[in-house]
Amino acid sequence: MIRGATIEETYRLMVDKLARVVPEVELRIKAELVFEINRLKDERGAIILGHNYMEPALYHTVPDVVGDSLELSRKAAQTDRDPIVFCGVRFMAETAKILNPNKTVLLPAKKAGCSLAASITAEDVRELKRQYPGVPVVTYVNCYADVKAETDVCCTSSNAARVVEALGSDCVIFLPDEYLAQNVARETGRRVIFPTREPKSTGARDAAPRNLHYHLIGWHGRCEVHEKFTVADIVAVRKQFPDVVVLAHPECSAEVVQASDFSGSTSKMIEFVKKSKAPRYLLLTECSMGDNIIAENPDKETLRLCSVRCPHMNEITLEDTRDALLHNRYVIEVPEDIRVRARRALDRMLEIG
Ligand code: 13P
Ligand code: SF4
């Protein structure tokens, strides 16, 4: 809607859409940045992919495509534009690079990490494979390329249960999100066990339980945002607003997901609010996404607990996005031997859908 508009028109369009969630004085400055980014994007033939957690003034203006991890991976696999600017976190930009080895992939902020991705290393996965020989490994896309390379198939919050079931295996190693593992286990009628980290090597192999019929073998990684939501939060909000519909991301604990009315990927939550007729929602996920939903659904009340923000997603600003296009930074590289193996795991996920 904003492409091809003057700065003044850009500002007006942004006020119309975003005045409820961004102060007007900020929109004046941001409109200039949006104008500059769209000019640079056209000049460079770039595509901008934006995750649903981007702040509203960015999310609603510069990305060509917005979505959850699965949608953005699919789009990254299809685009013919170059460079790809990824307004999201590092593991997402790496995914785009793995799928597009000949294109330049830019991540606007160097430090945009993820607590889940930081929770596990490639050596941890190799050790688990030694402990459980022959058991297929599924990793959530929230991990780095070298971890994906050790994996049979990746999944996202949108397709995790489908991917696990598609393997047709009694026992599956499911990494690294402890809570997503619990939620997928419930959905697929399995139990989760968590192997002890020590002792490693030969001792650990002997310690592996033998009877693993219909199990997931999990890992103690957690999202530093979603782990903070509690059942007490839900109870308190329901007490004040008995008609509230509670939506929880599957990175929340199993107790929180069970106490909620709906759980799904970020895009599924957005879609739910759009389609539902209920007047009021509580979103248990990153706070900026609540702002984005409010901007799109002015007739509905969206409650969110804004003490909880993702510091990594919040690293990505309009200024950084402009500078990424201006200075060609920060270029994502993945060593070719890792990329080829990680690509197999992503391709299998995209085939399953
Ligand atoms: P989605 O794939 O649901 O967008 O989740 C990504 C993420 O990092 C949530 O914290
Ligand atoms: Fe990672 Fe959690 Fe931030 Fe998503 S919200 S990027 S899982 S730390």
Side-chain angles (χ1 to χ4, degrees):
M1 85 175 169
I2 277 168
R3 227 160 166 178
T6 63
I7 297 180
E8 190 55 30
E9 287 163 349
T10 303
Y11 170 67
R12 291 272 149 233
L13 288 165
M14 287 172 73
V15 170
D16 282 352
K17 182 121 211 175
L18 302 171
R20 282 159 56 92
V21 286
V22 186
E24 273 195 50
V25 56
E26 243 181 72
L27 289 175
R28 178 63 76 186
I29 301 162
K30 290 189 170 177
E32 288 184 24
L33 285 164
V34 169
F35 178 83
E36 179 68 352
I37 290 167
N38 283 331
R39 189 188 66 73
L40 286 165
K41 181 165 66 169
D42 285 346
E43 202 175 281
R44 294 204 55 187
I47 184 168
I48 300 183
L49 305 181
H51 186 261
N52 291 326
Y53 286 166
M54 291 297 102
E55 57 119 342
L58 189 160
Y59 177 85
H60 290 280
T61 56
V62 294
D64 299 279
V65 184
V66 289
D68 63 17
S69 307
L70 184 61
E71 291 164 334
L72 296 178
S73 302
R74 281 206 191 106
K75 192 64 204 180
Q78 290 159 1
T79 187
D80 52 12
R81 284 206 250 148
D82 187 5
I84 299 169
V85 180
F86 213 115
C87 292
V89 288
R90 176 167 289 270
F91 74 80
M92 295 179 177
E94 273 190 1
T95 299
K97 182 65 185 178
I98 291 164
L99 296 167
N100 292 280
N102 299 322
K103 294 192 181 121
T104 301
V105 176
L106 303 173
L107 177 67
K110 219 178 191 169
K111 285 195 294 185
C114 169
S115 65
L116 280 171
S119 73
I120 193 159
T121 66
E123 181 47 33
D124 291 329
V125 186
R126 286 192 288 270
E127 179 59 28
L128 282 167
K129 291 199 284 192
R130 285 191 284 271
Q131 282 189 51
Y132 301 99
V135 176
V137 181
V138 175
T139 51
Y140 192 30
V141 285
N142 296 37
C143 63
Y144 292 118
D146 56 344
V147 169
K148 288 187 175 79
E150 298 296 335
T151 299
D152 292 294
V153 52
C154 289
C155 74
T156 72
S157 64
S158 183
N159 61 13
R162 198 157 64 236
V163 167
V164 166
E165 289 193 323
L167 290 173
S169 174
D170 243 15
C171 185
V172 173
I173 299 174
F174 188 95
L175 311 168
D177 187 345
E178 166 181 346
Y179 288 157
L180 184 63
Q182 285 168 356
N183 290 318
V184 169
R186 205 171 63 91
E187 225 181 299
T188 60
R190 292 166 188 263
R191 287 190 56 201
V192 197
I193 57 155
F194 293 96
T196 46
R197 281 196 193 208
E198 299 295 336
K200 291 213 174 224
S201 303
T202 52
R205 192 180 308 176
D206 291 336
R210 299 276 161 231
N211 183 9
L212 286 173
H213 182 66
Y214 239 59
H215 272 72
L216 290 186
I217 297 162
W219 187 254
H220 286 300
R222 287 189 191 175
C223 163
E224 67 192 86
V225 175
H226 293 94
E227 72 170 343
K228 296 205 177 78
F229 298 118
T230 63
V231 174
D233 293 331
I234 300 177
V235 171
V237 175
R238 283 202 201 278
K239 203 168 166 191
Q240 202 180 344
F241 304 104
D243 62 349
V244 74
V245 176
V246 181
L247 286 75
H249 192 274
E251 288 168 12
C252 295
S253 74
E255 295 74 29
V256 166
V257 166
Q258 281 173 67
S260 303
D261 299 297
F262 176 81
S263 178
S265 76
T266 53
S267 285
K268 286 184 178 161
M269 292 165 99
I270 292 171
E271 198 55 24
F272 185 99
V273 177
K274 196 166 149 191
K275 290 199 171 143
S276 161
K277 300 228 179 319
R280 188 175 284 123
Y281 304 85
L282 170 65
L283 283 186
L284 299 179
T285 194
E286 214 284 329
C287 193
S288 298
M289 195 175 103
D291 291 340
N292 293 332
I293 289 182
I294 290 170
E296 291 283 358
N297 301 273
D299 53 326
K300 293 173 180 165
E301 189 181 353
T302 306
L303 313 169
R304 59 251 194 263
L305 305 174
C306 281
S307 52
V308 193
R309 284 190 179 268
C310 174
H312 312 288
M313 290 283 185
N314 276 272
E315 286 277 330
I316 310 289
T317 63
L318 282 167
E319 284 87 345
D320 292 333
T321 307
R322 176 204 54 201
D323 290 348
L325 284 161
L326 210 51
H327 307 298
N328 208 46
R329 74 188 191 198
Y330 295 92
V331 177
I332 297 290
E333 302 286 4
V334 177
E336 188 59 10
D337 57 325
I338 288 176
R339 190 197 69 78
V340 169
R341 289 186 294 134
R343 166 114 203 200
R344 274 200 293 266
L346 284 169
D347 281 346
R348 283 189 78 187
M349 172 185 83
L350 293 170
E351 274 160 30
I352 292 168

